[in-house]
């Protein structure tokens, strides 16, 4: 199947109205590329597998629309055949109309053609099985090789919730968890995402895990990944809500009852989270953090020590940092 790609250069401010305007003529499903920094709410929700901060916002946005192309070279617009030039003329007409009352930037239109876009499965080419020490992480569409059958095997697919184990921050957390978990460990996983950290810990024998996350998408993701890895529902409870600001969530989680709290979150979220987490740790409990870009290491350390925790170790992978700390044993 062929697709025609219409790329329009515009401004960040014009994104929404341009998408709405072109939607009215049949162009749907816009892909937006810009350099706008994450909002505080978005940062709060980006709990795992965090990417580094991008380049400075230059106010430019690229909007891409994909239109199916038939074998005879026609395009299908809202299910009806349409000529490429006709669509181009319509787009230019709408852009000219918008220019009358707002800045839409250059409004440059670029055409490209792409083959066989499978919106559900296209990403599979980028995710393949890999190992973290003796743990094999494998997606559902690949087979376990004979040489790997003696490894611990985690079955997980990329999906709507963050966390496949590929990112350095997740790997740092997994390695730290394996140092400190025991068969009696009760784990709290803040920003659980796909559930990978809790599921791996349960696979290695901890007693039970509880997770919190802001995103309702994690409910299905965690359930699917638990089923794929033979984790019983009574071993892992997920709570949707903000443990930092929601007292009801904190009470559901429970106070002073966790041997380990793990949080693979942006540094800007770890700072307000840390003094809250102290109340949920047992005396002597361990706090494992990651999602910390190296330049934010000291900021998170200050939050950890300021909350009365003692730093046990700092580990690094690439430009990412994990800080492990402990609550005083009284």
């Amino acid at each position: 199947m062929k697709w025609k790609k219409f790329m329009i250069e515009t401004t960040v401010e014009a994104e929404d109205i341009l998408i709405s305007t072109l939607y009215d003529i049949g162009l749907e499903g816009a892909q937006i590329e810009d350099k706008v920094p994450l909002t505080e709410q978005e940062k709060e929700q980006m709990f795992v597998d965090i990417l580094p901060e991008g380049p400075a916002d230059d106010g430019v946005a690229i909007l891409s629309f994909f239109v199916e192309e038939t074998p005879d070279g026609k395009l299908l617009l809202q299910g009806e055949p349409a000529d490429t030039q006709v669509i181009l003329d319509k787009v230019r007409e709408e852009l000219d109309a918008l220019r009358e009352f707002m800045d839409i930037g250059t409004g440059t239109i670029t055409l490209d053609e792409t083959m066989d876009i499978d919106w559900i499965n296209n990403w599979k080419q980028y995710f393949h099985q890999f190992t973290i020490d003796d743990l094999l992480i494998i997606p559902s569409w690949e087979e376990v090789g004979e040489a790997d059958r003696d490894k611990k095997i985690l079955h997980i697919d990329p999906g709507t919730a963050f966390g496949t184990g590929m990112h350095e921050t997740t790997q740092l957390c997994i390695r730290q968890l394996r140092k400190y978990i025991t068969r009696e460990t009760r784990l709290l996983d803040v920003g659980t995402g796909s559930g990978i950290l809790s599921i791996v810990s349960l696979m290695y024998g901890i007693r039970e895990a509880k997770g919190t996350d802001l995103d309702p998408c994690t409910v299905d993701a965690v359930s699917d990944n638990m089923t794929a890895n033979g984790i019983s529902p009574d071993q892992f409870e997920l709570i949707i809500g903000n443990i930092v600001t929601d007292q009801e969530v904190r009470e559901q989680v429970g106070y002073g009852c966790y041997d380990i709290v793990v949080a693979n979150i942006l540094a800007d979220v770890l700072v307000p989270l840390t003094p809250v987490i102290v109340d949920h740790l047992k005396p002597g409990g361990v706090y494992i953090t990651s999602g910390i870009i190296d330049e934010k290491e000291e900021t998170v350390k200050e939050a950890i020590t300021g909350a009365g925790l003692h730093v046990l170790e700092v580990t690094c992978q690439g430009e990412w940092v994990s800080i492990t700390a402990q609550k005083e044993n009284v």
Side-chain angles (χ1 to χ4, degrees):
M1 184 182 295
K2 290 183 179 181
W3 300 76
K4 188 74 75 175
K5 182 178 182 181
F6 293 76
M7 295 178 290
I8 303 167
E9 182 175 302
T10 184
T11 66
V12 170
E13 290 78 10
E15 284 175 3
D16 290 342
I17 191 165
L18 204 153
I19 290 170
S20 177
T21 299
L22 296 185
Y23 179 90
D24 289 340
I25 66 171
L27 293 180
E28 301 177 17
Q31 174 183 299
I32 303 172
E33 299 174 60
D34 58 33
K35 301 182 181 69
V36 177
L38 295 174
T39 65
E40 289 305 312
Q41 182 179 6
E42 288 167 336
K43 287 182 179 180
E44 192 176 61
Q45 294 185 33
M46 294 283 282
F47 275 165
V48 294
D49 285 2
I50 311 299
L51 295 175
E53 292 185 8
D57 180 19
D58 57 7
V60 175
I62 305 295
L63 304 182
S64 296
F65 300 86
F66 296 85
V67 182
E68 185 178 346
E69 186 174 353
T70 64
D72 62 359
K74 292 289 187 180
L75 301 184
L76 288 178
L77 195 64
Q78 296 179 316
E80 297 295 328
D83 184 76
T84 301
Q85 189 59 50
V86 171
I87 296 176
L88 275 172
D89 291 342
K90 286 184 178 181
V91 171
R92 291 191 179 107
E93 182 179 339
E94 296 297 336
L95 293 178
D96 288 341
L98 288 174
R99 282 193 181 94
E100 295 294 325
F101 64 92
M102 70 180 300
D103 178 16
I104 64 165
T106 66
T108 304
I109 306 171
T110 305
L111 289 183
D112 197 3
E113 192 170 72
T114 185
M115 296 285 292
D116 297 326
I117 295 179
D118 183 341
W119 303 112
I120 302 300
N121 296 307
N122 195 44
W123 44 262
K124 288 184 178 181
Q125 64 184 296
Y126 303 109
F127 184 55
H128 303 286
Q129 59 185 280
F130 63 100
T131 58
I132 304 174
D133 303 325
D134 65 347
L135 172 67
L136 175 68
I137 298 178
I138 185 168
S140 59
W141 57 89
E142 293 190 357
E143 297 289 334
V144 178
E146 195 62 39
D148 292 320
R149 295 194 182 278
D150 60 340
K151 292 183 171 66
K152 191 77 75 173
I153 298 171
L154 174 71
H155 299 274
I156 196 165
D157 290 345
T160 56
F162 291 105
T164 62
M166 292 188 72
H167 199 274
E168 292 95 328
T169 59
T170 311
Q171 295 182 24
L172 284 165
C173 283
I174 288 173
R175 289 191 171 103
Q176 290 305 102
L177 282 165
R178 292 191 59 194
K179 290 181 186 178
Y180 292 97
I181 60 175
T182 71
R183 293 199 172 274
E184 296 304 314
T185 294
R186 295 187 68 193
L187 174 71
L188 176 61
D189 180 4
V190 180
T192 203
S194 66
I196 184 172
L197 298 179
S198 292
I199 291 170
V200 167
S201 298
L202 288 162
M203 288 170 56
Y204 280 97
I206 70 168
R207 181 180 172 187
E208 61 183 59
K210 190 171 289 189
T212 70
D213 204 290
L214 298 180
D215 189 350
C217 289
T218 59
V219 174
D220 289 339
V222 167
S223 177
D224 290 345
N225 290 328
M226 287 173 61
T227 300
N229 291 283
I231 302 298
S232 170
D234 61 3
Q235 293 179 281
F236 185 15
E237 178 186 355
L238 176 61
I239 298 169
I240 299 299
N242 190 331
I243 195 172
V244 176
T245 60
D246 192 329
Q247 185 64 34
E248 185 177 341
V249 171
R250 297 192 64 190
E251 290 173 0
Q252 282 184 268
V253 166
Y255 296 99
C257 54
Y258 295 96
D259 302 284
I260 298 176
V261 174
V262 62
N264 186 13
I265 307 178
L266 282 172
D268 290 346
V269 180
L270 286 171
V271 171
L273 173 69
T274 298
V276 171
I277 285 308
V278 173
D279 294 335
H280 298 279
L281 277 168
K282 290 179 180 178
V286 172
Y287 180 42
I288 298 172
T289 68
S290 192
I292 307 163
I293 198 74
D294 50 17
E295 64 191 37
K296 297 285 185 118
E297 177 183 338
E298 291 305 317
T299 300
V300 178
K301 273 186 184 175
E302 289 174 9
I304 287 172
T305 56
L309 300 172
H310 169 66
V311 175
L312 295 175
E313 58 180 320
V314 176
T315 55
C316 302
Q317 189 171 338
E319 60 187 339
W320 297 97
V321 176
S322 170
I323 302 173
T324 301
Q326 188 171 33
K327 184 175 180 179
E328 186 178 354
N329 196 351
V330 293

